Amino acid sequence: MSSDADALHQLSFYSLAHGDPAFIHQLVVDTFAVQHAGEFSKPISTVFALIGLYLHVEHGFTGKQVQRAHMRLARHRRIWRAPALPSARGDISVHDVLAAPAGPP
């Protein structure tokens, strides 16, 4: 089985080549960042990823809208504090996503 980084690269290739104007790649990036956040992660990465996933799941934002929200947040320079992270972050991994059949073109 490939490493998580190799699997992320494979999924990133798929999501970037997908061509969907909703830009699903942003959701891939945010999900991976949250699942792999740890003591060496930049707080801004974890916070932005959590915000992006919240906007998608709770408010129906597309990946493109999430990307724009990230850009708006980045305009305001500040020091971001890392949130407390749960030890369990879900059972679905990037490997599971790669093993699933591709969706509509």
XYZ file of all heavy atoms in Angstrom:
813
model
N 0.856 -1.185 0.000
C 0.000 0.000 0.000
C 0.898 1.244 0.000
O 1.929 1.276 0.653
C -0.905 -0.006 1.238
C -1.892 1.126 1.223
S -3.016 1.132 2.640
C -4.047 -0.255 2.246
N 0.501 2.245 -0.724
C 1.303 3.459 -0.804
C 1.158 4.286 0.466
O 0.241 4.113 1.258
C 0.877 4.285 -2.018
O -0.439 4.745 -1.859
N 2.094 5.195 0.638
C 2.040 6.079 1.793
C 0.874 7.055 1.652
O 0.304 7.212 0.570
C 3.349 6.867 1.905
O 3.412 7.842 0.864
N 0.542 7.702 2.764
C -0.530 8.702 2.709
C -0.184 9.824 1.732
O -1.060 10.308 1.015
C -0.780 9.289 4.104
C -1.536 8.335 5.013
O -2.008 7.285 4.531
O -1.654 8.647 6.203
N 1.086 10.223 1.696
C 1.487 11.303 0.787
C 1.327 10.867 -0.673
O 0.850 11.645 -1.505
C 2.922 11.732 1.067
N 1.723 9.631 -0.977
C 1.553 9.132 -2.344
C 0.070 9.070 -2.719
O -0.310 9.438 -3.825
C 2.161 7.732 -2.494
C 3.680 7.739 -2.447
O 4.277 8.800 -2.681
O 4.254 6.669 -2.164
N -0.741 8.597 -1.784
C -2.184 8.514 -2.033
C -2.772 9.913 -2.235
O -3.618 10.117 -3.109
C -2.880 7.793 -0.881
N -2.322 10.880 -1.428
C -2.790 12.261 -1.606
C -2.417 12.780 -2.987
O -3.231 13.440 -3.648
C -2.228 13.185 -0.524
C -2.560 14.664 -0.704
C -4.065 14.898 -0.635
C -1.839 15.508 0.326
N -1.223 12.485 -3.451
C -0.809 12.940 -4.780
C -1.699 12.331 -5.868
O -2.093 13.024 -6.806
C 0.665 12.599 -5.036
C 1.599 13.383 -4.189
N 2.662 12.825 -3.543
C 1.619 14.691 -3.836
C 3.299 13.742 -2.848
N 2.679 14.882 -3.010
N -2.031 11.057 -5.737
C -2.913 10.415 -6.709
C -4.307 11.051 -6.700
O -4.879 11.343 -7.750
C -3.044 8.922 -6.409
C -1.784 8.136 -6.664
C -1.934 6.686 -6.227
O -3.018 6.118 -6.318
N -0.862 6.090 -5.748
N -4.835 11.278 -5.502
C -6.161 11.892 -5.396
C -6.125 13.343 -5.874
O -7.061 13.813 -6.523
C -6.680 11.809 -3.957
C -8.098 12.310 -3.735
C -9.103 11.565 -4.620
C -8.478 12.183 -2.268
N -5.035 14.041 -5.589
C -4.894 15.430 -6.047
C -4.870 15.493 -7.570
O -5.486 16.381 -8.166
C -3.625 16.058 -5.475
O -3.748 16.227 -4.091
N -4.176 14.557 -8.192
C -4.155 14.521 -9.651
C -5.577 14.366 -10.193
O -5.990 15.065 -11.111
C -3.258 13.388 -10.159
C -3.250 13.269 -11.649
C -2.490 14.142 -12.419
C -4.011 12.316 -12.298
C -2.498 14.068 -13.802
C -4.024 12.227 -13.681
C -3.261 13.102 -14.436
N -6.332 13.440 -9.596
C -7.719 13.232 -10.022
C -8.549 14.502 -9.817
O -9.256 14.946 -10.714
C -8.349 12.058 -9.259
C -9.837 11.947 -9.498
C -10.337 11.345 -10.640
C -10.749 12.484 -8.584
C -11.705 11.261 -10.875
C -12.117 12.405 -8.814
C -12.579 11.798 -9.962
O -13.932 11.736 -10.194
N -8.466 15.081 -8.622
C -9.337 16.223 -8.312
C -8.960 17.469 -9.108
O -9.832 18.258 -9.461
C -9.348 16.503 -6.803
O -8.077 16.880 -6.331
N -7.673 17.647 -9.393
C -7.267 18.801 -10.198
C -7.635 18.621 -11.677
O -7.973 19.582 -12.353
C -5.759 19.038 -10.063
C -5.331 19.695 -8.770
C -3.817 19.612 -8.606
C -5.809 21.139 -8.704
N -7.578 17.385 -12.156
C -7.902 17.117 -13.558
C -9.403 16.981 -13.778
O -9.860 16.934 -14.919
C -7.197 15.835 -14.003
N -10.168 16.944 -12.719
C -11.599 16.683 -12.801
C -12.329 17.729 -13.636
O -13.244 17.416 -14.374
C -12.205 16.602 -11.395
C -13.566 16.022 -11.354
N -14.703 16.784 -11.495
C -13.989 14.749 -11.209
C -15.754 16.007 -11.421
N -15.357 14.761 -11.249
N -11.951 18.988 -13.498
C -12.568 20.032 -14.300
C -13.906 20.537 -13.793
O -14.534 21.375 -14.427
N -14.354 20.042 -12.651
C -15.621 20.496 -12.075
C -15.457 21.943 -11.604
O -14.535 22.252 -10.857
C -15.984 19.589 -10.895
C -17.331 19.904 -10.273
O -17.874 21.000 -10.519
O -17.836 19.044 -9.540
N -16.327 22.843 -12.036
C -16.204 24.236 -11.604
C -16.377 24.412 -10.094
O -16.005 25.437 -9.540
C -17.299 24.975 -12.367
C -18.189 23.936 -12.942
C -17.435 22.640 -12.953
N -16.914 23.404 -9.412
C -17.061 23.487 -7.950
C -15.702 23.347 -7.260
O -15.585 23.635 -6.078
C -18.012 22.409 -7.454
N -14.672 22.909 -7.980
C -13.296 22.797 -7.486
C -13.212 21.884 -6.260
O -12.896 22.304 -5.151
C -12.716 24.180 -7.182
C -11.216 24.191 -6.973
C -10.364 23.665 -7.933
C -10.674 24.713 -5.829
C -8.987 23.675 -7.752
C -9.295 24.737 -5.635
C -8.455 24.219 -6.597
N -13.474 20.592 -6.487
C -13.444 19.616 -5.400
C -12.053 19.464 -4.792
O -11.917 18.992 -3.665
C -13.985 18.242 -5.858
C -13.151 17.666 -7.004
C -15.458 18.348 -6.214
C -13.528 16.244 -7.398
N -11.030 19.888 -5.514
C -9.664 19.763 -4.993
C -9.498 20.479 -3.652
O -8.785 19.997 -2.769
C -8.649 20.291 -6.016
C -7.252 20.221 -5.537
N -6.597 19.015 -5.362
C -6.384 21.183 -5.164
C -5.373 19.252 -4.905
N -5.224 20.557 -4.782
N -10.151 21.618 -3.478
C -10.032 22.351 -2.209
C -10.507 21.495 -1.042
O -9.920 21.524 0.040
C -10.834 23.660 -2.261
C -10.663 24.516 -1.028
C -9.217 24.997 -0.871
O -8.674 25.611 -1.787
N -8.611 24.707 0.261
N -11.542 20.719 -1.253
C -12.068 19.863 -0.191
C -11.115 18.713 0.110
O -10.970 18.298 1.268
C -13.452 19.356 -0.574
C -14.441 20.463 -0.969
C -15.752 19.869 -1.438
C -14.645 21.433 0.169
N -10.427 18.212 -0.920
C -9.402 17.180 -0.720
C -8.284 17.734 0.162
O -7.867 17.111 1.139
C -8.837 16.698 -2.081
C -7.605 15.827 -1.888
C -9.897 15.974 -2.889
N -7.800 18.915 -0.182
C -6.705 19.536 0.568
C -7.105 19.792 2.017
O -6.352 19.472 2.949
C -6.272 20.854 -0.125
C -5.286 21.636 0.728
C -5.685 20.558 -1.491
N -8.283 20.354 2.226
C -8.727 20.669 3.586
C -8.937 19.413 4.421
O -8.542 19.358 5.583
C -10.000 21.512 3.558
C -9.750 22.956 3.143
O -8.572 23.355 3.033
O -10.733 23.683 2.941
N -9.536 18.390 3.827
C -9.774 17.153 4.564
C -8.466 16.497 4.967
O -8.293 16.078 6.118
C -10.618 16.178 3.712
O -11.860 16.804 3.392
C -10.878 14.879 4.454
N -7.534 16.425 4.050
C -6.240 15.808 4.362
C -5.516 16.601 5.451
O -4.931 16.023 6.368
C -5.377 15.705 3.106
C -4.175 14.825 3.271
C -4.278 13.459 3.086
C -2.946 15.360 3.612
C -3.170 12.628 3.243
C -1.831 14.547 3.775
C -1.948 13.173 3.583
N -5.577 17.931 5.373
C -4.911 18.770 6.375
C -5.462 18.522 7.775
O -4.708 18.425 8.747
C -5.054 20.248 6.003
N -6.772 18.400 7.885
C -7.390 18.167 9.200
C -7.056 16.765 9.709
O -6.706 16.591 10.872
C -8.919 18.382 9.136
C -9.602 17.891 10.391
C -9.228 19.856 8.916
N -7.149 15.771 8.841
C -6.874 14.403 9.282
C -5.427 14.201 9.700
O -5.143 13.354 10.529
C -7.222 13.397 8.176
C -8.703 13.172 8.025
C -9.021 12.080 7.029
O -8.355 11.948 6.003
N -10.030 11.309 7.333
N -4.518 14.978 9.145
C -3.101 14.795 9.435
C -2.506 15.929 10.281
O -1.296 16.031 10.407
C -2.329 14.619 8.131
C -2.669 13.340 7.451
N -3.776 13.207 6.638
C -2.107 12.118 7.513
C -3.850 11.960 6.214
N -2.858 11.275 6.735
N -3.354 16.756 10.851
C -2.865 17.851 11.706
C -2.217 17.272 12.956
O -2.665 16.270 13.505
C -4.024 18.773 12.083
N -1.168 17.923 13.373
C -0.458 17.478 14.567
C 0.382 18.595 15.136
O 0.259 19.757 14.719
N 1.257 18.251 16.034
C 2.039 19.270 16.727
C 2.969 20.037 15.793
O 3.374 21.151 16.098
C 2.830 18.651 17.881
C 3.916 17.688 17.462
C 4.719 17.170 18.642
O 5.428 17.966 19.279
O 4.598 15.965 18.918
N 3.320 19.461 14.644
C 4.223 20.136 13.715
C 3.482 20.857 12.584
O 4.102 21.460 11.728
C 5.241 19.147 13.149
C 6.106 18.541 14.213
C 5.954 17.210 14.561
C 7.037 19.306 14.893
C 6.735 16.648 15.557
C 7.826 18.759 15.894
C 7.673 17.423 16.233
N 2.169 20.783 12.590
C 1.370 21.476 11.573
C 1.324 22.967 11.878
O 1.316 23.372 13.042
C -0.064 20.939 11.562
O -0.083 19.567 11.298
N 1.262 23.763 10.831
C 1.087 25.195 11.033
C -0.347 25.437 11.478
O -1.286 24.947 10.845
C 1.371 25.954 9.742
C 2.812 25.890 9.313
C 3.023 26.668 8.043
C 4.468 26.590 7.620
N 4.729 27.339 6.395
N -0.538 26.195 12.544
C -1.904 26.456 13.015
C -2.811 27.022 11.932
O -3.978 26.651 11.854
C -1.697 27.447 14.161
C -0.326 27.154 14.665
C 0.471 26.775 13.429
N -2.293 27.895 11.086
C -3.120 28.489 10.044
C -3.675 27.408 9.107
O -4.821 27.484 8.661
C -2.359 29.581 9.248
C -3.326 30.359 8.350
C -1.205 29.004 8.464
C -2.707 31.574 7.693
N -2.888 26.382 8.813
C -3.345 25.302 7.936
C -4.518 24.552 8.552
O -5.516 24.271 7.875
C -2.211 24.310 7.660
O -1.163 24.943 6.991
N -4.395 24.234 9.828
C -5.451 23.494 10.510
C -6.716 24.335 10.631
O -7.819 23.866 10.343
C -4.971 23.042 11.900
O -3.754 22.296 11.750
C -6.013 22.193 12.598
N -6.566 25.587 11.032
C -7.728 26.457 11.213
C -8.437 26.707 9.882
O -9.657 26.588 9.792
C -7.318 27.791 11.880
C -8.457 28.796 11.871
C -6.825 27.548 13.302
N -7.689 27.030 8.850
C -8.307 27.285 7.546
C -9.016 26.038 7.031
O -10.108 26.112 6.466
C -7.270 27.765 6.531
C -7.019 29.246 6.557
C -6.950 29.954 7.752
C -6.831 29.945 5.387
C -6.708 31.318 7.771
C -6.590 31.307 5.389
C -6.526 31.998 6.582
N -8.402 24.864 7.219
C -9.016 23.617 6.758
C -10.322 23.360 7.507
O -11.323 22.970 6.899
C -8.048 22.453 6.933
N -10.313 23.573 8.814
C -11.545 23.385 9.591
C -12.632 24.363 9.154
O -13.798 23.988 9.014
C -11.263 23.543 11.085
C -10.516 22.383 11.742
C -10.048 22.777 13.136
C -11.385 21.139 11.788
N -12.254 25.600 8.928
C -13.222 26.599 8.457
C -13.779 26.184 7.096
O -14.989 26.244 6.859
C -12.578 28.002 8.389
C -12.298 28.533 9.798
C -13.456 28.976 7.597
C -11.434 29.781 9.832
N -12.901 25.748 6.200
C -13.343 25.336 4.870
C -14.311 24.173 4.910
O -15.344 24.185 4.233
N -14.014 23.175 5.723
C -14.911 22.023 5.818
C -16.226 22.402 6.483
O -17.286 21.916 6.088
C -14.220 20.880 6.560
C -13.025 20.283 5.810
C -12.298 19.270 6.679
C -13.447 19.668 4.487
N -16.171 23.280 7.459
C -17.401 23.770 8.092
C -18.281 24.476 7.047
O -19.485 24.216 6.957
C -17.060 24.729 9.241
C -18.241 25.510 9.731
C -19.182 24.939 10.579
C -18.439 26.830 9.329
C -20.283 25.652 11.021
C -19.534 27.557 9.770
C -20.454 26.961 10.616
O -21.548 27.676 11.037
N -17.680 25.354 6.271
C -18.452 26.083 5.254
C -19.061 25.125 4.233
O -20.197 25.320 3.787
C -17.564 27.114 4.554
C -17.122 28.301 5.414
C -16.089 29.147 4.670
C -18.320 29.143 5.835
N -18.334 24.080 3.881
C -18.853 23.107 2.913
C -19.983 22.267 3.512
O -21.059 22.155 2.922
C -17.729 22.199 2.415
C -18.204 21.116 1.520
N -18.710 21.362 0.266
C -18.291 19.782 1.699
C -19.081 20.222 -0.294
N -18.843 19.238 0.566
N -19.738 21.689 4.673
C -20.704 20.754 5.261
C -21.934 21.472 5.806
O -23.068 21.054 5.576
C -20.031 19.908 6.371
C -21.042 19.089 7.141
C -18.962 19.013 5.776
N -21.725 22.545 6.531
C -22.843 23.219 7.202
C -23.555 24.256 6.341
O -24.721 24.558 6.583
C -22.351 23.877 8.499
C -21.826 22.892 9.527
C -22.903 21.961 10.076
O -24.085 22.358 10.132
O -22.554 20.825 10.439
N -22.861 24.815 5.358
C -23.463 25.894 4.568
C -23.489 25.617 3.070
O -23.891 26.492 2.292
C -22.737 27.218 4.844
C -22.892 27.677 6.261
N -24.040 28.272 6.732
C -22.055 27.570 7.319
C -23.905 28.541 8.020
N -22.710 28.116 8.399
N -23.037 24.423 2.670
C -23.133 24.041 1.272
C -22.196 24.762 0.326
O -22.431 24.782 -0.888
N -21.112 25.352 0.841
C -20.162 26.033 -0.030
C -19.505 25.015 -0.958
O -19.221 23.893 -0.563
C -19.061 26.710 0.793
C -19.407 28.056 1.351
C -20.666 28.344 1.852
C -18.444 29.044 1.415
C -20.970 29.579 2.389
C -18.733 30.289 1.946
C -19.994 30.563 2.428
N -19.235 25.427 -2.188
C -18.447 24.604 -3.104
C -16.972 24.766 -2.736
O -16.605 25.661 -1.964
C -18.637 25.064 -4.556
O -18.094 26.387 -4.696
C -20.093 25.021 -4.989
N -16.146 23.926 -3.327
C -14.705 24.072 -3.106
C -14.206 25.431 -3.557
O -13.336 26.034 -2.926
N -14.736 25.949 -4.650
C -14.337 27.270 -5.156
C -14.718 28.364 -4.158
O -13.943 29.273 -3.898
C -14.994 27.522 -6.516
C -14.601 28.835 -7.163
C -13.109 28.995 -7.345
C -12.601 28.336 -8.572
N -11.149 28.535 -8.772
N -15.915 28.259 -3.570
C -16.336 29.244 -2.564
C -15.467 29.139 -1.308
O -15.132 30.154 -0.695
C -17.808 29.046 -2.219
C -18.740 29.433 -3.350
C -20.168 28.998 -3.090
O -20.427 27.886 -2.620
N -21.107 29.889 -3.404
N -15.105 27.932 -0.943
C -14.214 27.738 0.213
C -12.858 28.363 -0.088
O -12.280 29.053 0.750
C -14.070 26.236 0.559
C -12.938 26.007 1.537
C -15.379 25.684 1.115
N -12.349 28.148 -1.292
C -11.067 28.735 -1.680
C -11.125 30.264 -1.577
O -10.193 30.900 -1.067
C -10.705 28.316 -3.106
C -9.361 28.835 -3.564
C -9.105 28.511 -5.020
O -9.968 28.735 -5.878
N -7.936 27.982 -5.311
N -12.211 30.848 -2.026
C -12.358 32.311 -1.929
C -12.419 32.766 -0.470
O -11.869 33.809 -0.112
C -13.604 32.764 -2.691
C -13.421 32.685 -4.184
C -14.620 33.276 -4.924
N -14.486 33.010 -6.337
C -15.389 32.402 -7.082
N -16.538 32.011 -6.562
N -15.177 32.184 -8.352
N -13.085 31.980 0.377
C -13.136 32.312 1.809
C -11.737 32.265 2.407
O -11.358 33.141 3.203
C -14.079 31.352 2.551
N -10.940 31.272 2.026
C -9.554 31.192 2.495
C -8.776 32.443 2.069
O -8.014 33.007 2.860
C -8.846 29.961 1.929
C -9.274 28.652 2.508
N -9.748 28.490 3.783
C -9.285 27.411 1.968
C -10.019 27.222 4.008
N -9.763 26.540 2.910
N -8.982 32.875 0.843
C -8.268 34.050 0.339
C -8.678 35.309 1.106
O -7.830 36.150 1.434
C -8.496 34.214 -1.166
C -7.835 33.095 -1.951
S -7.966 33.084 -3.764
C -9.285 34.117 -4.192
N -9.968 35.424 1.417
C -10.422 36.583 2.198
C -9.831 36.559 3.606
O -9.399 37.587 4.125
C -11.950 36.625 2.261
C -12.596 37.140 0.989
C -14.074 37.460 1.160
N -14.863 36.330 1.635
C -15.433 35.414 0.857
N -15.299 35.480 -0.445
N -16.138 34.440 1.374
N -9.819 35.397 4.232
C -9.237 35.280 5.570
C -7.743 35.601 5.561
O -7.227 36.206 6.498
C -9.436 33.865 6.117
C -10.817 33.509 6.601
C -10.933 32.001 6.829
C -11.145 34.262 7.882
N -7.052 35.194 4.511
C -5.602 35.397 4.435
C -5.230 36.867 4.281
O -4.102 37.255 4.600
C -5.028 34.585 3.277
N -6.148 37.687 3.824
C -5.867 39.128 3.681
C -5.649 39.807 5.024
O -5.006 40.845 5.101
C -7.023 39.821 2.957
C -7.044 39.571 1.495
C -8.092 40.463 0.824
N -8.586 39.752 -0.338
C -9.851 39.627 -0.659
N -10.789 40.193 0.060
N -10.211 38.957 -1.730
N -6.215 39.238 6.060
C -6.120 39.819 7.400
C -5.046 39.080 8.180
O -5.291 38.010 8.734
C -7.471 39.729 8.124
C -8.591 40.321 7.336
N -8.765 41.680 7.193
C -9.576 39.739 6.604
C -9.818 41.911 6.431
N -10.328 40.745 6.059
N -3.859 39.665 8.211
C -2.726 39.028 8.895
C -3.002 38.947 10.382
O -3.401 39.921 11.015
C -1.445 39.830 8.672
C -1.010 39.864 7.246
C -0.255 38.628 6.915
N 0.190 38.671 5.536
C 0.429 37.601 4.842
N 0.287 36.429 5.377
N 0.824 37.701 3.607
N -2.797 37.752 10.923
C -2.927 37.550 12.351
C -2.244 36.255 12.720
O -1.907 35.459 11.864
C -4.382 37.547 12.788
C -5.208 36.415 12.207
C -6.574 36.335 12.778
N -6.486 35.734 14.098
C -7.502 35.508 14.887
N -8.703 35.840 14.508
N -7.360 34.960 16.058
N -2.055 36.060 13.984
C -1.459 34.817 14.476
C -2.603 33.873 14.813
O -3.472 34.208 15.610
C -0.597 35.086 15.714
C 0.454 36.102 15.344
C -0.067 33.797 16.281
C 1.770 36.025 15.948
N -2.610 32.728 14.164
C -3.656 31.746 14.389
C -3.202 30.759 15.446
O -2.066 30.300 15.433
C -3.977 31.011 13.088
C -4.534 31.924 12.048
C -3.839 32.596 11.093
C -5.902 32.289 11.878
N -4.698 33.361 10.323
C -5.968 33.184 10.790
C -7.080 31.950 12.529
C -7.158 33.730 10.340
C -8.258 32.493 12.086
C -8.290 33.384 10.996
N -4.088 30.412 16.341
C -3.796 29.422 17.382
C -4.396 28.088 16.969
O -5.535 28.024 16.516
C -4.387 29.869 18.713
C -3.697 31.117 19.245
C -4.317 31.591 20.505
N -4.705 30.466 21.352
C -4.825 30.516 22.651
N -4.585 31.636 23.276
N -5.202 29.473 23.340
N -3.615 27.052 17.158
C -4.092 25.707 16.807
C -5.157 25.264 17.799
O -5.009 25.444 19.001
C -2.925 24.727 16.821
N -6.234 24.708 17.308
C -7.273 24.189 18.203
C -6.833 22.850 18.802
O -5.913 22.201 18.297
C -8.471 23.987 17.270
C -7.853 23.718 15.934
C -6.596 24.540 15.900
N -7.500 22.459 19.869
C -7.270 21.126 20.424
C -7.752 20.105 19.398
O -8.824 20.271 18.816
C -8.018 20.976 21.741
N -6.968 19.089 19.185
C -7.305 18.098 18.161
C -7.737 16.785 18.806
O -7.075 16.297 19.721
C -6.088 17.837 17.267
C -5.565 19.051 16.508
C -4.226 18.743 15.868
C -6.575 19.471 15.458
N -8.833 16.216 18.319
C -9.244 14.910 18.845
C -8.299 13.820 18.337
O -7.703 13.952 17.264
C -10.650 14.725 18.265
C -10.638 15.531 17.013
C -9.731 16.709 17.277
N -8.169 12.766 19.094
C -7.290 11.675 18.652
C -7.930 10.894 17.507
O -7.244 10.437 16.599
C -6.948 10.751 19.816
O -8.130 10.240 20.384
N -9.242 10.718 17.537
C -9.949 10.010 16.461
C -10.479 11.042 15.464
O -11.182 11.972 15.834
C -11.103 9.197 17.036
N -10.126 10.860 14.197
C -10.534 11.827 13.182
C -11.316 11.204 12.051
O -11.318 11.690 10.935
C -9.305 12.520 12.618
C -8.457 13.064 13.724
C -7.820 14.344 13.435
N -6.865 14.587 14.507
C -5.644 14.975 14.331
N -5.209 15.205 13.123
N -4.864 15.151 15.351
N -11.954 10.093 12.329
C -12.756 9.429 11.307
C -12.067 8.194 10.770
O -10.859 8.036 10.896
N -12.858 7.342 10.203
C -12.344 6.062 9.720
C -12.016 6.056 8.234
O -11.374 5.139 7.741
C -13.367 4.955 10.003
C -13.589 4.747 11.488
O -12.637 4.935 12.260
O -14.720 4.403 11.866
N -12.464 7.054 7.504
C -12.227 7.081 6.063
C -10.901 7.782 5.791
O -10.663 8.889 6.275
C -13.373 7.806 5.329
C -14.682 7.060 5.558
C -13.083 7.929 3.842
C -15.899 7.773 5.021
N -10.058 7.121 5.016
C -8.758 7.694 4.682
C -8.687 7.999 3.190
O -9.577 7.616 2.413
C -7.639 6.718 5.051
O -7.608 5.646 4.123
N -7.612 8.636 2.794
C -7.406 8.925 1.378
C -7.319 7.619 0.585
O -7.738 7.557 -0.577
C -6.161 9.830 1.187
C -4.883 9.131 1.566
C -6.084 10.363 -0.226
N -6.842 6.555 1.198
C -6.769 5.245 0.531
C -8.178 4.722 0.220
O -8.408 4.144 -0.842
C -6.008 4.238 1.403
C -4.606 4.671 1.688
N -3.578 4.544 0.771
C -4.051 5.246 2.776
C -2.461 5.011 1.285
N -2.727 5.449 2.509
N -9.121 4.933 1.155
C -10.510 4.517 0.928
C -11.125 5.283 -0.234
O -11.875 4.718 -1.049
C -11.362 4.739 2.176
C -10.901 3.909 3.359
O -10.601 2.718 3.174
O -10.831 4.463 4.469
N -10.830 6.555 -0.305
C -11.368 7.392 -1.387
C -10.824 6.908 -2.729
O -11.562 6.780 -3.711
C -11.035 8.881 -1.154
C -11.463 9.732 -2.346
C -11.688 9.369 0.128
N -9.518 6.600 -2.777
C -8.933 6.104 -4.021
C -9.487 4.742 -4.439
O -9.580 4.451 -5.626
C -7.415 6.007 -3.888
C -6.663 7.330 -3.915
C -5.195 7.115 -3.604
C -6.821 8.017 -5.259
N -9.876 3.944 -3.471
C -10.415 2.609 -3.763
C -11.852 2.661 -4.274
O -12.324 1.703 -4.885
C -10.325 1.729 -2.518
N -12.548 3.755 -4.047
C -13.944 3.891 -4.480
C -14.000 4.138 -5.986
O -13.096 4.742 -6.556
C -14.623 5.046 -3.741
N -15.077 3.692 -6.633
C -15.194 3.975 -8.079
C -15.352 5.484 -8.309
O -15.932 6.193 -7.488
C -16.471 3.224 -8.487
C -17.145 2.784 -7.239
C -16.174 2.920 -6.106
N -14.812 5.918 -9.414
C -14.904 7.342 -9.764
C -16.351 7.741 -9.966
O -17.165 6.945 -10.434
C -14.098 7.613 -11.038
N -16.638 8.989 -9.617
C -17.999 9.509 -9.772
C -18.261 9.945 -11.197
O -17.505 9.611 -12.113
N -19.311 10.716 -11.382
C -19.639 11.204 -12.726
C -18.473 12.015 -13.299
O -17.747 12.650 -12.555
C -20.849 12.110 -12.517
C -21.333 11.833 -11.139
C -20.215 11.221 -10.370
N -18.294 11.959 -14.594
C -17.167 12.702 -15.184
C -17.241 14.192 -14.902
O -18.270 14.759 -14.731
C -17.283 12.424 -16.661
C -18.430 11.504 -16.866
C -19.105 11.289 -15.551
